[in-house]
Amino acid sequence: MFEIPDKQIHIRLSAHISKKLKVKCAAESTSMQIFVANLIADKIQGSPKKQPAEKSQKAAIIELLHECPILCDVDEIELGNLAEVASIVHYTKSQPIIREGEVPDSFQIVAQGLVKVYKASPSGKEFIIDIRRRGEIFGEISAMDEVIVHYASVQAIEETDVLTISKKDFVTFTAQNPKVMARITSLEMLRISHLYSKLINLVSDKADQRVAKVLYALTCKYGSNLQFTHKEIAEMSGTTDETTTRILTSLKKKGILRLHRGNLEVLDKSKL
Amino acid sequence: MFEIPDKQIHIRLSAHISKKLKVKCAAESTSMQIFVANLIADKIQGSPKKQPAEKSQKAAIIELLHECPILCDVDEIELGNLAEVASIVHYTKSQPIIREGEVPDSFQIVAQGLVKVYKASPSGKEFIIDIRRRGEIFGEISAMDEVIVHYASVQAIEETDVLTISKKDFVTFTAQNPKVMARITSLEMLRISHLYSKLINLVSDKADQRVAKVLYALTCKYGSNLQFTHKEIAEMSGTTDETTTRILTSLKKKGILRLHRGNLEVLDKSKL
DNA sequence: CGCGAGGTTGATTACTCTCAAACGACGTGG
DNA sequence: CCACGTCGTTTGAGAGTAATCAACCTCGCG
């Protein structure tokens, strides 16, 4: 398993090293503790180890596969075979799953928790393209035989379990189940339509409308209790933290929102 | 055929009708002459008529199919069959080909000329998502069996010939040529990666860098002589006409560009 | 010639980013 | 348990960007 060790470790750093670390963490938008913890874990254990699917897990995996829209009508036997080659990998909060530029080697389905799909600009600004939850897929680019690289990064935004299938196994599976490939294509086109909407929103809406649209979309998908920080809302809207805070407080004053630390509640979706 | 009549027609409009027409044309970013010409043509002839592929055309159609990346390795017989059910449709400059929200009924390949894929916001602002030329496809959403609608509009930006294949025929074709479907999926993923880049550019770059990136990308694809108006560059960059003009003139002063009416020449691509 | 589309320029306004400071909540180390 | 650092949040002031509004130019064409 890949987890931050329970034991506390105390580290003393010289001032300039500490400063550099701070800058790096800021650029990667991660906390120093998590960064160092992951660094240590990486060093000690290498990449997250795949956990072979145990018998007790197999039923759970098949249930997850059933919940995945692109696999919903694949027959039981095929799903069983797929479950055999799948494994569950746990990622801690803020742990990277895919880094932009890496060569795809596996297809993934979120089993539990949330991941963000995002892209960072050279200047360090991040834009969250999508949030995926249980049953939603990513890394589907590995189903392609061309040699391409990941064009976005994926990171867990809370404790997350991810079902992982190696590229080789997934290619074999799709070859035997052409309908799955068709569903993936269909999904990609749907995602393109969402991207088009995001583009046109970015060029034509002001920051407050963009934030409102993000909140509206999140509410539609996740309900009125949203476990996101202002920073995350900002990165989904393409604005800065401060601007987002201002917009959120103004929405609060209008009675549309209730703000708490690290989460917010939408009281009146229709007013967004 | 669907063309602006050669005969000149002089129309006298009352002031308020003229004004409304002007506003409408501005909103749809088309010239009044073309708008009225298309209006008349639509009224007289209905939708653009499909021109049945004549013998002399069939060779040209097959040549086009060969140039289309997603079809490049389909065998000659299949391409011949596809050519049988394909037809060439001519669109005049600024004529709409697909309107957002329409139900897809055909798959299209640009044979000659240029089309823009764009989306308009409710406020009327347009964003040009992509420019397609000979061999590039659009309307591929009609290959899907789900009932969905077009999520962007397509318009000819110069005199353009488009190879059109009905949804039914194209679905039949892809069913017999699964590799084509795989290539389409691959293409969609590539397009997604471009969209990701556009998104991150919009949120992190200033207007001048966005324009520069647009010019750079256009130069890579079309060479140093670009037949685009400032308005079109602006709609690709997500800025206004005026801002784009300012940026272009500043680039001209730096000796990177040469500006002419309706086109521009990139002198030093590396400085963009 | 007169019109309209494309292009240019200036002045003003509005928005939002940036920088800065500060606070409360929380967890951890001591 | 307290002190501390970090994170998430809040607020303010100032700067800079680009949108908006407006006027004007000019080229090409009917």
Side-chain angles (χ1 to χ4, degrees):
Chain A
M1 282 291 285
F2 180 79
E3 278 182 324
I4 298 181
D6 285 324
K7 261 193 152 177
Q8 296 294 333
I9 304 173
H10 305 274
I11 305 154
R12 189 169 295 273
L13 296 173
S14 67
H16 77 281
I17 291 287
S18 164
K19 194 173 175 186
K20 278 188 183 172
L21 180 62
K22 222 171 188 171
V23 169
K24 184 168 175 56
C25 286
E28 297 186 2
S29 78
T30 183
S31 76
M32 284 167 60
Q33 290 183 7
I34 290 162
F35 180 87
V36 173
N38 286 333
L39 197 70
I40 295 168
D42 265 343
K43 184 69 189 170
I44 295 172
Q45 309 184 313
S47 316
K49 290 285 182 297
K50 284 174 188 170
Q51 189 182 15
E54 295 162 23
K55 255 185 207 145
S56 63
Q57 273 199 328
K58 194 171 167 185
I61 289 178
I62 289 181
E63 197 184 335
L64 171 62
L65 294 177
H66 269 296
E67 281 180 47
C68 183
I70 63 159
L71 301 169
C72 60
D73 57 1
V74 175
D75 73 61
E76 210 65 33
I77 300 157
E78 284 286 346
L79 283 190
N81 293 340
L82 193 59
E84 286 294 339
V85 296
S87 46
I88 297 279
V89 182
H90 181 82
Y91 294 91
T92 58
K93 185 172 172 169
S94 298
Q95 194 182 351
I97 304 175
I98 289 174
R99 286 189 189 85
E100 195 186 337
E102 286 177 346
V103 176
D105 66 346
S106 51
F107 167 82
Q108 282 130 316
I109 305 173
V110 179
Q112 184 149 69
L114 288 179
V115 303
K116 62 173 178 181
V117 179
Y118 68 99
K119 200 173 162 84
S121 74
S123 64
K125 184 153 185 171
E126 282 183 16
F127 183 76
I128 297 179
I129 296 160
D130 203 5
I131 304 275
R132 306 259 158 92
R133 62 169 168 190
R134 177 173 173 83
E136 296 186 298
I137 67 171
F138 59 97
E140 71 276 7
I141 196 178
S142 60
M144 300 291 96
D145 44 3
E146 271 115 276
V147 185
I148 27 183
V149 296
H150 282 295
Y151 38 74
S153 304
V154 180
Q155 199 179 83
I157 57 175
E158 51 182 58
E159 296 292 313
T160 301
D161 291 323
V162 174
L163 187 81
T164 302
I165 298 163
S166 77
K167 174 178 169 128
K168 188 177 137 286
D169 289 329
F170 191 64
V171 168
T172 309
F173 174 76
T174 54
Q176 284 166 358
N177 298 273
K179 206 164 179 183
V180 171
M181 209 57 217
R183 281 188 194 282
I184 289 179
T185 309
S186 195
L187 176 64
E188 299 302 304
M189 290 187 182
L190 185 67
R191 286 182 179 169
I192 285 178
S193 77
H194 292 325
L195 292 172
Y196 284 1
S197 301
K198 279 183 207 294
L199 278 172
I200 194 75
N201 287 343
L202 277 179
V203 300
S204 67
D205 291 342
K206 306 287 178 198
D208 53 353
Q209 291 171 59
R210 295 209 302 272
V211 170
K213 283 186 183 175
V214 165
L215 289 178
Y216 185 85
L218 288 174
T219 307
C220 290
K221 187 167 172 185
Y222 298 102
S224 57
N225 275 309
L226 300 172
Q227 305 289 320
F228 299 106
T229 63
H230 294 192
K231 189 181 170 64
E232 284 162 347
I233 305 278
E235 289 177 355
M236 293 182 224
S237 321
T239 60
T240 55
D241 303 2
E242 299 94 324
T243 301
T244 300
T245 291
R246 278 182 243 271
I247 293 166
L248 290 179
T249 31
S250 103
L251 289 174
K252 186 178 87 178
K253 277 175 194 155
K254 287 182 195 160
I256 301 172
L257 288 182
R258 204 171 290 160
L259 296 177
H260 316 283
R261 190 187 174 76
N263 66 4
L264 52 88
E265 192 183 345
V266 177
L267 299 174
D268 192 347
K269 187 173 117 174
S270 63
K271 280 195 186 153
L272 288 173
Chain B
M1 282 289 287
F2 181 79
E3 278 181 325
I4 298 180
D6 285 324
K7 262 195 152 174
Q8 296 294 331
I9 305 173
H10 300 273
I11 305 154
R12 189 169 298 273
L13 296 173
S14 68
H16 78 281
I17 292 288
S18 165
K19 195 173 175 185
K20 277 189 183 170
L21 180 62
K22 220 170 189 173
V23 169
K24 184 167 176 57
C25 286
E28 298 186 2
S29 77
T30 183
S31 78
M32 284 167 61
Q33 289 183 7
I34 291 161
F35 180 87
V36 174
N38 286 332
L39 197 70
I40 295 168
D42 265 343
K43 184 67 189 171
I44 295 171
Q45 308 185 315
S47 315
K49 290 287 180 298
K50 285 174 188 171
Q51 188 182 15
E54 296 162 21
K55 254 185 206 146
S56 63
Q57 272 199 331
K58 194 172 166 184
I61 289 179
I62 289 181
E63 197 184 334
L64 171 62
L65 294 177
H66 268 297
E67 282 180 46
C68 183
I70 64 158
L71 301 168
C72 61
D73 58 0
V74 175
D75 73 61
E76 209 64 34
I77 300 159
E78 285 286 347
L79 283 190
N81 293 341
L82 193 60
E84 285 295 340
V85 295
S87 47
I88 297 278
V89 182
H90 182 82
Y91 294 91
T92 59
K93 186 172 170 166
S94 297
Q95 195 182 350
I97 304 174
I98 290 173
R99 285 190 190 84
E100 195 186 336
E102 286 177 345
V103 176
D105 65 346
S106 50
F107 167 82
Q108 282 129 318
I109 305 173
V110 179
Q112 184 149 68
L114 287 180
V115 302
K116 62 173 178 182
V117 179
Y118 67 99
K119 199 172 164 83
S121 75
S123 64
K125 185 153 185 172
E126 282 183 14
F127 183 75
I128 298 181
I129 297 159
D130 203 5
I131 304 275
R132 307 258 159 92
R133 62 168 167 189
R134 178 174 172 83
E136 296 186 298
I137 67 171
F138 59 96
E140 71 276 7
I141 196 178
S142 61
M144 299 292 96
D145 44 4
E146 272 115 278
V147 185
I148 28 183
V149 295
H150 282 296
Y151 37 75
S153 303
V154 180
Q155 199 179 82
I157 57 174
E158 52 182 58
E159 296 292 314
T160 301
D161 292 323
V162 174
L163 187 81
T164 302
I165 298 163
S166 76
K167 174 176 169 131
K168 188 177 137 285
D169 290 329
F170 191 64
V171 167
T172 309
F173 174 77
T174 53
Q176 283 164 356
N177 297 273
K179 206 165 179 185
V180 170
M181 209 58 218
R183 281 188 194 283
I184 290 179
T185 309
S186 195
L187 176 64
E188 299 301 304
M189 289 187 182
L190 185 66
R191 286 182 178 167
I192 286 178
S193 77
H194 292 324
L195 292 172
Y196 284 1
S197 301
K198 280 183 207 292
L199 279 172
I200 193 76
N201 288 343
L202 278 179
V203 300
S204 68
D205 291 342
K206 305 288 177 196
D208 52 352
Q209 292 171 58
R210 295 208 303 271
V211 170
K213 282 185 183 174
V214 164
L215 290 178
Y216 185 85
L218 288 173
T219 307
C220 290
K221 186 167 172 186
Y222 298 102
S224 58
N225 275 309
L226 299 172
Q227 304 289 321
F228 299 105
T229 63
H230 293 192
K231 189 180 170 62
E232 284 162 348
I233 305 279
E235 288 177 356
M236 293 182 226
S237 323
T239 60
T240 56
D241 302 3
E242 299 94 321
T243 301
T244 300
T245 290
R246 278 182 243 271
I247 293 165
L248 290 179
T249 31
S250 104
L251 289 174
K252 186 178 87 178
K253 277 175 194 154
K254 288 183 194 159
I256 301 171
L257 288 182
R258 203 171 289 160
L259 297 178
H260 315 284
R261 194 184 174 75
N263 67 4
L264 51 87
E265 192 184 344
V266 177
L267 299 173
D268 191 346
K269 188 173 115 174
S270 64
K271 280 194 187 153
L272 288 172

